[in-house]
Amino acid sequence: MAVLQGNGPSSQVTYELVPDRMTIGRKPENDIAIEWDKAVSRRHAELELVAGSWFVSDLDSANGTFVNGSKVDRKRALHSGDELRVGDTTLRMGGIISSEPLSDTAQSTKPPELTRKQSEVLRERRLPGNMRRVQRTLLCSLPCADSWLRRLAHCDGSAARTRAIRLSDSRRSTER
């Protein structure tokens, strides 16, 4: 279980992160409502669980979102111990989270489900030319990217099938 911990107006606060997506903001409708901090926008940031790792994105907030002092300008992975600052509130990432890619020897019976973004990338054939780039584009581990490409190869047309298998096979041959 992943958590964000910080100081509230009168005591410490802990928020349990639940899949798949959570919003942070000043309005009570947010999953993580920081109503006491006027520097937090109504809908400030979004947390998203992708392939076992938590990511944060700024939602065009007035004062920005920061991880370890660096401004978040695109989706950014969170690691255990990272400090997430929204407005004047600092929250520390903790608990058991997976922010490192799975090892290539990790065994899995089936890949995790694709997110909407990952499905769009695969469907539109906007695949980069090598597996590392595919992994970064899809924000997943190499085994997951390989598995999704194999799945695409079995359910799509011949051009996409050939490219997906070629990318997957080239990854395997470079690992030897």
Side-chain angles (χ1 to χ4, degrees), residues 101-128:
L102 296 173
S103 73
D104 288 337
T105 58
Q107 299 296 315
S108 174
T109 56
K110 74 174 209 168
E113 292 300 312
L114 293 169
T115 66
R116 187 180 61 218
K117 166 91 170 131
Q118 291 163 334
S119 295
E120 289 169 10
V121 168
L122 287 173
R123 252 188 258 115
E124 295 174 17
R125 316 291 186 274
R126 290 186 281 146
L127 296 175

Side-chain angles (χ1 to χ4, degrees), residues 52-69:
S53 296
W54 282 99
F55 290 81
V56 64
S57 302
D58 185 74
L59 297 176
D60 295 324
S61 64
N63 294 316
T65 301
F66 297 83
V67 174
N68 299 328

Side-chain angles (χ1 to χ4, degrees), residues 23-165:
T23 58
I24 301 173
R26 196 175 66 244
K27 289 289 208 183
E29 297 85 38
N30 289 288
D31 300 301
I32 298 175
I34 304 176
E35 300 174 64
W36 65 88
D37 187 343
K38 299 302 179 200
V40 173
S41 296
R42 289 180 297 236
R43 282 184 36 93
H44 196 101
E46 180 178 71
L47 298 168
E48 183 179 14
L49 183 63
V50 178
S53 296
W54 282 99
F55 290 81
V56 64
S57 302
D58 185 74
L59 297 176
D60 295 324
S61 64
N63 294 316
T65 301
F66 297 83
V67 174
N68 299 328
S70 298
K71 188 169 184 168
V72 173
D73 54 1
R74 59 186 167 88
K75 191 179 287 191
R76 179 169 173 173
L78 291 172
H79 305 269
S80 187
D82 280 351
E83 287 189 350
L84 174 65
R85 184 166 55 87
V86 291
D88 294 327
T89 300
T90 300
L91 302 167
R92 182 175 295 277
M93 188 73 174
I96 301 169
I97 61 172
S98 172
S99 55
E100 297 299 319
L102 296 173
S103 73
D104 288 337
T105 58
Q107 299 296 315
S108 174
T109 56
K110 74 174 209 168
E113 292 300 312
L114 293 169
T115 66
R116 187 180 61 218
K117 166 91 170 131
Q118 291 163 334
S119 295
E120 289 169 10
V121 168
L122 287 173
R123 252 188 258 115
E124 295 174 17
R125 316 291 186 274
R126 290 186 281 146
L127 296 175
N130 69 48
M131 281 302 286
R132 284 274 179 217
R133 288 191 184 132
V134 169
Q135 173 202 9
R136 285 193 296 264
T137 300
L138 297 177
L139 298 171
C140 66
S141 67
L142 282 172
C144 284
D146 183 51
S147 184
W148 288 328
L149 287 170
R150 290 263 171 208
R151 188 185 313 170
L152 174 69
H154 291 291
C155 67
D156 213 341
S158 61
R161 178 185 177 105
T162 302
R163 180 137 192 251
I165 290 172

